[in-house]
Every structure is written in structure tokens, then in C-alpha cells.
Amino acid sequence: ADELPQYGLFEYKWGTWDWPLIFSSEERTILEMLQDVPERESIYEAYVLLQGLVTLRPERVSSLLRACRSIKATRLFLALAARQKHAWFKHLDLTGVDRGKGKRALFPGGKLDPVYEITLPADLDEHAR
């Protein structure tokens, strides 16, 4: 239980018998959601949700990105967050973050993000307003 926060997880005791409820921080939740794009989650919904995450903690995001084993989730997070221009983004320490190699065509016919080398829907910015 002491190690949970370093992975973006928290334990809350509730109920008559103090049942443990484990939940994810905001930083971990968005990475979990991005792992399911586009199979079960919409890129447009993820983009809009990320717009509202103005208080993410750069230290925690950096730590979670280093621990993340999903190249797709990592690249999507970075590409979408860079477009948002949140204040916390410029404070991320991406040292040791595995972004994989080569281009990823997540959305065929989409537009390649040249920095994070992942395709995003060409109309992404239009849907997120």
C-alpha cells in the first residue's frame, strides 16, 4: 500500500469494515483511457477530457510515463497534451520515457504528428472546440 502512490494509485477505506478501494489518480486515469483508443474509447473524447486536466502534477506524469509500457498511450498522451499547451506540460521530465521507434499509424489516413510520430485524425482540432 505504501508503494501505490508512485504508480498513481490510491487506497481509500470505506464502509463499516474499512474496505479498501483502490483508485487511479487523474494522471494515471488518462493514460489508462488512452490505452483503449481507438478500440473502445474515442480519440475525440480523450482529447476533450485532456483539455480539462489543467492541474496535473508534472512530477507524477513524468514518473508514470517512465513506468508506462504502452508506446501507444505514451505517444498519444504526449501528442495530445502538447496540443493543449497546458502550463504543466513544459515542466515534464521525459528523461527515460520509452517512446519506441518508428512511425505509428493509429488512424489510417490521419495526419502525422512530426514530433511524436503518431497519426491523429485530421479533424481532431475541429471536434475538440
Side-chain angles (χ1 to χ4, degrees), residues 15-129:
T16 306
W17 294 281
D18 283 338
W19 292 313
L21 174 66
I22 308 274
F23 64 96
S24 297
S25 66
E26 298 90 348
E27 294 88 354
R28 183 176 174 127
T29 300
I30 192 68
L31 286 170
E32 290 171 351
M33 181 182 191
L34 290 172
Q35 177 57 40
D36 291 334
V37 170
E39 295 84 10
R40 289 182 291 217
E41 298 291 344
S42 161
I43 184 70
Y44 303 107
E45 185 175 356
Y47 190 52
V48 170
L49 286 173
L50 191 55
Q51 276 182 328
L53 295 176
V54 297
T55 60
L56 293 187
R57 293 157 283 204
E59 304 83 25
R60 180 165 292 146
V61 172
S62 299
S63 175
L64 288 172
L65 287 172
R66 277 190 290 280
C68 186
R69 297 293 167 241
S70 170
I71 301 300
K72 175 178 82 170
T74 299
R75 286 189 189 190
L76 267 178
F77 177 84
L78 292 170
L80 296 178
R83 295 168 90 94
Q84 302 288 345
K85 297 185 173 116
H86 287 306
W88 51 261
F89 187 77
K90 63 185 171 199
H91 298 287
L92 294 179
D93 177 7
L94 300 179
T95 306
V97 173
D98 183 11
R99 291 193 275 169
K101 304 251 187 274
K103 297 175 179 138
R104 305 288 166 109
L106 189 57
F107 295 94
K111 203 167 142 183
L112 180 69
D113 181 298
V115 176
Y116 301 105
E117 296 188 314
I118 192 166
T119 58
L120 299 172
D123 63 349
L124 181 63
D125 293 321
E126 296 169 19
H127 284 267
R129 293 183 185 158

